[in-house]
Amino acid sequence: MNLRPLHDRVIVKRLENETKTASGIYIPDNAAEKPDQGEVLAVGPGKRNDKGEQIALNVKVGDRVLFGKYSGQTVKIDGNELLVMKEDDLFAVVEK
């Protein structure tokens, strides 16, 4: 991928939700909700504080993160739908 986010932005690829419930019922695509988890594909260098020092981000490439359903800006790169959002839009990192 040839994207390099600026400042405190991250690029996230949504992870697909299950299309089958625990009881075995399949959910059609048009009834499914947008997934609220994703994998971080790229991170910016960080934002600068009042003194001009760069503050590194708390997430790294490969982290699985939680975010709001309507967070970020959707972009299409090479046929893939990605999200560009600020680190502040992320709620948590999912630990394995």
Side-chain angles (χ1 to χ4, degrees), residues 22-88:
S23 60
I25 298 172
Y26 285 94
I27 302 169
D29 289 339
N30 59 353
E33 291 184 6
K34 286 184 174 182
D36 55 358
Q37 287 189 35
E39 179 183 354
V40 176
L41 299 179
V43 297
K47 59 183 171 181
R48 297 195 178 271
N49 63 14
D50 296 336
K51 296 178 182 177
E53 299 165 338
Q54 200 160 34
I55 302 170
L57 300 182
N58 292 317
V59 295
K60 61 187 180 307
V61 173
D63 280 349
R64 189 174 186 156
V65 293
L66 296 176
F67 51 87
K69 293 193 186 305
Y70 303 106
S71 295
Q73 177 68 39
T74 303
V75 294
K76 246 188 179 173
I77 305 293
D78 298 331
N80 295 323
E81 193 171 291
L82 305 173
L83 290 169
V84 179
M85 62 180 74
K86 288 190 168 208
E87 185 185 36
D88 293 344

